[in-house]
């Protein structure tokens, strides 16, 4: 039987809600960096939302930028510390709504960072408001109490399709609803770090993640929702992979 140990980079528990996917993603990031042997020169860039908890949990240098500006902050860090492994751990509200311009221009510039976006279909930290990019049609939130309507809020957007139209190194989407997909997600994240270490350009990995607290569901039901509803709108897989090209 294999032996599974806590990554040494995780120093203490974080404050994520029960059943939240952020903790799984945090562990996957730590595992990838340890396996690649680069934990002594890492900068973690987070939003002032749920991912902020990783500052307390991980033994990495870290910075929290203004809400939505993670990609720009990470760009600045990478410019002044090009030898560091710089990654973003942020939500879909930060990355695709408030920080949409910052994410797009980081992709356009093809900045060699690794960006991990947590797609839980909601603004989590601020109480569960609708996310124009990722909330599904019909989903009820704090600001769409009768369910999201196409007539007033449009359709959710597959941002990886949009970002793949730029000449970036890598874009992929994973999910967390079973062990197979968690392992697949880990490989996508690891590929994003490998691209950065080889200076291949911008990598973005989106992860379909549960938010039981704001979805008003049990953790089990939240995982099932990802599998049966969210993945139908946001398919998992690799969207673009430039391979070894610089």
């Amino acid at each position: 039987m294999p032996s599974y140990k806590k990554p040494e980079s995780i120093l203490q528990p974080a404050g994520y809600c029960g059943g939240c996917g952020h903790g799984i993603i945090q562990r996957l990031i730590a595992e990838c960096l340890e396996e690649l042997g680069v934990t002594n020169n890492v900068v973690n860039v987070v939003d002032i939302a749920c991912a902020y908890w990783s500052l307390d949990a991980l033994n990495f240098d870290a910075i929290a930028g203004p809400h939505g500006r993670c990609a720009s902050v990470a760009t600045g860090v990478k410019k002044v510390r090009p030898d560091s492994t710089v990654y973003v751990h942020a939500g879909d509200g930060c990355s695709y709504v408030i920080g949409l311009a910052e994410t797009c221009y980081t992709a356009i510039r093809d900045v060699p960072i690794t960006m991990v976006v947590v797609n839980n279909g909601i603004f989590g930290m601020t109480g569960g408001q609708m996310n124009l990019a990722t909330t599904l049609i019909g989903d009820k939130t704090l600001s769409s109490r009768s369910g999201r309507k196409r007539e007033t809020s449009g359709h959710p957007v597959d941002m990886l399709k949009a970002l793949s139209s730029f000449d970036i190194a890598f874009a992929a989407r994973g999910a967390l609803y079973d062990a197979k997909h968690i392992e697949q997600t880990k490989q996508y994240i690891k590929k994003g770090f490998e691209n950065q270490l080889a200076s291949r350009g911008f990598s973005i990995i989106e992860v379909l993640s549960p938010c039981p607290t704001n979805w008003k569901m049990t953790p089990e039901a939240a995982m099932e929702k990802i599998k049966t509803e969210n993945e139908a709108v946001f398919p998992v897989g690799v969207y673009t992979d430039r391979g070894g090209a610089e």
Side-chain angles (χ1 to χ4, degrees):
M1 293 290 291
S3 176
Y4 296 102
K5 299 188 300 181
K6 177 184 72 66
E8 293 181 3
S9 302
I10 298 178
L11 300 178
Q12 62 184 28
Y16 305 118
C17 299
C20 173
H22 274 276
I24 300 174
I25 294 166
Q26 174 182 281
R27 179 183 177 116
L28 296 181
I29 290 170
E31 287 180 354
C32 290
L33 291 169
E34 290 184 9
E35 290 170 11
L36 292 169
V38 295
T39 55
N40 64 332
N41 192 18
V42 173
V43 181
N44 171 20
V45 181
V46 300
D47 191 22
I48 53 168
C50 300
Y52 189 91
W53 288 110
S54 68
L55 271 66
D56 295 330
L58 292 169
N59 189 26
F60 301 143
D61 289 335
I63 182 171
H67 192 30
R69 277 54 182 177
C70 287
S72 290
V73 173
T75 296
V77 173
K78 190 66 177 180
K79 294 293 184 181
V80 300
R81 296 183 61 175
D83 295 332
S84 295
T85 301
V86 181
Y87 76 90
V88 170
H89 177 181
D92 45 3
C94 162
S95 306
Y96 295 159
V97 182
I98 296 173
L100 177 60
E102 286 76 8
T103 299
C104 286
Y105 278 104
T106 302
I108 289 169
R109 295 187 184 102
D110 200 22
V111 180
I113 63 169
T114 307
M115 186 165 184
V116 181
V117 178
V118 184
N119 179 347
N120 57 20
I122 209 160
F123 280 88
M125 180 65 81
T126 53
Q129 295 86 356
M130 182 181 68
N131 183 318
L132 280 174
T134 58
T135 299
L136 302 187
I137 298 295
D139 276 5
K140 296 179 180 180
T141 73
L142 189 67
S143 56
S144 59
R145 292 185 179 277
S146 60
R148 177 175 183 163
K149 295 180 172 61
R150 178 195 61 78
E151 296 80 6
T152 54
S153 303
H155 286 282
V157 180
D158 189 336
M159 284 302 304
L160 291 191
K161 284 185 179 179
L163 293 170
S164 294
S165 68
F166 305 134
D167 186 11
I168 62 176
F170 186 68
R173 179 181 294 118
L176 302 178
Y177 58 77
D178 61 24
K180 175 183 176 181
H181 284 83
I182 290 173
E183 178 59 29
Q184 181 187 57
T185 299
K186 178 180 176 179
Q187 295 310 312
Y188 292 157
I189 294 172
K190 194 170 187 179
K191 178 65 178 291
F193 284 125
E194 290 170 341
N195 284 338
Q196 182 174 172
L197 293 171
S199 300
R200 291 183 184 134
F202 179 69
S203 295
I204 183 166
I205 300 91
E206 183 185 303
V207 185
L208 300 180
S209 178
C211 184
T213 297
N214 288 306
W215 290 0
K216 313 299 182 186
M217 293 180 173
T218 65
E220 294 84 359
M223 288 295 191
E224 186 65 21
K225 181 182 187 300
I226 294 173
K227 180 179 179 179
T228 60
E229 299 180 29
N230 295 59
E231 189 179 354
V233 178
F234 301 110
V236 300
V238 176
Y239 278 64
T240 188
D241 184 356
R242 202 165 57 200
E246 301 300 322

